[in-house]
Amino acid sequence: MNAQAAGGMPEITYNFAYLDEQTKRMIRRAILKAIAVPGYQVPFAAREMPMPYGWGTGGVQVTAAVLGPDDVLKVIDQGADDTTNAVAIRGFFEKTARVATTTSTQAATLIQTRHRVPETPLRENQILVYQVPIPEPLRFLEPRETETRQLHALAEYGLMHVKLYEDIARHGHIATTYAYPVEVAGRYVMDPSPIPKFDNPKLDDCPALQLFGAGREKRIYAIPPHTRVRSLDFEDHPFRVQRFAQSCALCAASGVYLDEVILDDKGGRMFVCSDTDYCNGRQEAGHRGEMAGEGA
Amino acid sequence: MIEHPLLVAEGLSKNYGPRIGCRDVSLEVHPGEVLAVVGESGSGKSTLLGLLSTELAPSAGRVSYRLRDGRLADLAGLGAAEKRLLMRTDWGFVRQNPADGLRMAVSAGGNVGERLMAVGWRHYGNIRDEAIDWLAKVEIDADRVDDDPRAFSGGMRQRLQIARNLVTRPRLVFMDEPTGGLDVSVQARLLDLIRGLVAELGLAVVIVTHDLAVARLLSHRMVVMRHGRVIETGITDQVLDDPREPYTQLLVSSVLAA
């Protein structure tokens, strides 16, 4: 149905940021409650969004609810600004809210992310929105929702440690590398969404507001700025993040999260920053990795 | 027995709609005592066990338990948090089907360690040592600690379930047909083991069984149920050797002499 072809028909317009105002109010109420009870999963009436579940319907609804006309939006997909999910969601809000977008972590006021926290430290007055597939950290140990709610209510988190115990028993160390459970503000145990555990320390005492939206599971939770976030562990097996022997092949950064890229079928590979904005920034500042050639 | 009772049931009744699960049962369990509840299928044994362990809510009557501070508390009046703490520290529940009482996808060590972690143990080495220690007590080799219960035989699973329940040194353990479904020689060893642990730890046990031999081996006192009521109660040997009720006489006489 082409508006032009129909001749004189008004162009289809959407409300600011796609969702209607009542829906945004409902989501904002859930967000306020989530901020008031850090780490607690607040149920909300998630809407159908014009994208499939698993593509960030929860994150998009949270973003739509907190987005203002003056915001500058950045969307990250696995650290990158230029992959399908990031491009699609950025385009969605350019079209429906006409907000400014950016790939720069520094310049953004609102960042929606899938599976990464930016390397550049976040600051106050920024909001980080996570896309969450499964908000319940206890789900694979306890399938009953009634029971997991009870466990959260009574702060019975022994079960979470059973999972870590199993890891050590099977692998000799805690082998959970992503969606690593955290305790928020000394109370609720929370799934930080499938970010690598490398990013877990960035959640702690973060100056930015962190919001988590799960569309299919219809849950919102939050970490207010400067909240204590502790990764669960054992006294004799303390929490550790991944370490990389290499530095980034393009920008020579070390101490950042790297992606492995297979180059050929003869074992050729390179390690590059997963955060493309961070990597580009370093290259522009003159940092050169070992594989940063002319074409890079 | 000597001290004050540990568990007191008064006038317990449970109706399932118009059907009676259990009618007006009163009993006491003392510290260190093994009480057997016997009766045929459908006599209300399991309902009674459910009521005593607060898994079922009674239609009438109440259950009280003596907490560690010596207070006799009405279990219906305890908060959910207190009740769950009680269940995972002071109580144990050994189920007939080990799959109901174990986490089948979690290793033996994790199964035994779960209660420890639930009460705040956060040292992997200590949890594991304690788990191995308990596996030894129930005659499971230390090298099976990382295997999950799916790789265990029925008897081993049942022993693992016992270890998992006893690791926090409870004072009261409920057992629902713990030897059901095991072959006779395995049953005998399991009974031996339970008897040893009960004596060693001074456990109070409420055991539901339809097997009079199990009751005779393990229990000090027994309660005979029929149609949801307690029809006879007394010292085990006395009830089995000199039953007074016609139904009990029938039960006792229907056991094949080995």
Side-chain angles (χ1 to χ4, degrees), chain A residues 164-173, chain B residues 107 110 124 128 145-146:
Chain A
L164 301 180
Y165 173 96
E166 287 295 290
D167 264 5
I168 304 173
R170 297 226 164 113
H171 306 285
H173 59 96
Chain B
S107 72
Y124 174 80
R128 195 174 167 83
V145 67
D146 293 333

Side-chain angles (χ1 to χ4, degrees), chain B residues 41-53:
Chain B
S41 297
S43 61
K45 308 186 297 277
S46 294
T47 299
L48 177 60
L49 200 66
L51 291 172
L52 293 176
S53 63

Side-chain angles (χ1 to χ4, degrees), chain A residues 22 49 63 65 73 96 129 194 241 255 270 289:
Chain A
Q22 289 305 316
M49 296 303 283
T63 299
L73 179 71
T96 59
V129 176
V241 297
M270 67 192 289

Side-chain angles (χ1 to χ4, degrees), chain A residues 147 150 156 166 235-236, chain B residues 84 88 107 122-125:
Chain A
E147 180 70 8
Q150 182 88 288
E156 274 189 38
E166 287 295 290
E235 288 156 16
D236 49 345
Chain B
R84 291 177 76 110
R88 67 171 189 260
S107 72
R122 291 293 180 265
H123 189 284
Y124 174 80

Side-chain angles (χ1 to χ4, degrees), chain B residues 205-239:
Chain B
V205 178
V206 179
I207 181 168
V208 159
T209 179
H210 61 263
D211 187 340
L212 294 181
V214 169
R216 162 126 36 208
L217 257 170
L218 286 180
S219 68
H220 304 119
R221 279 196 310 133
M222 63 189 280
V223 163
V224 183
M225 291 191 73
R226 189 188 189 199
H227 298 330
R229 290 175 186 276
V230 170
I231 55 162
E232 184 159 2
T233 168
I235 309 290
T236 300
D237 289 342
Q238 179 199 322
V239 173

Side-chain angles (χ1 to χ4, degrees), chain B residues 68 85-92 112-121 130 134 162-173 201 203:
Chain B
R68 289 205 188 232
L85 182 69
L86 192 70
M87 289 183 116
R88 67 171 189 260
T89 55
D90 232 17
W91 288 8
V112 178
E114 180 176 343
R115 278 185 165 220
L116 297 174
M117 290 180 251
V119 296
W121 287 43
E130 186 77 2
W134 271 96
I162 289 167
R164 171 182 159 89
N165 275 286
L166 297 189
V167 66
T168 50
R169 304 189 178 264
R171 294 192 297 161
L172 176 63
V173 178
L201 301 170
L203 289 178

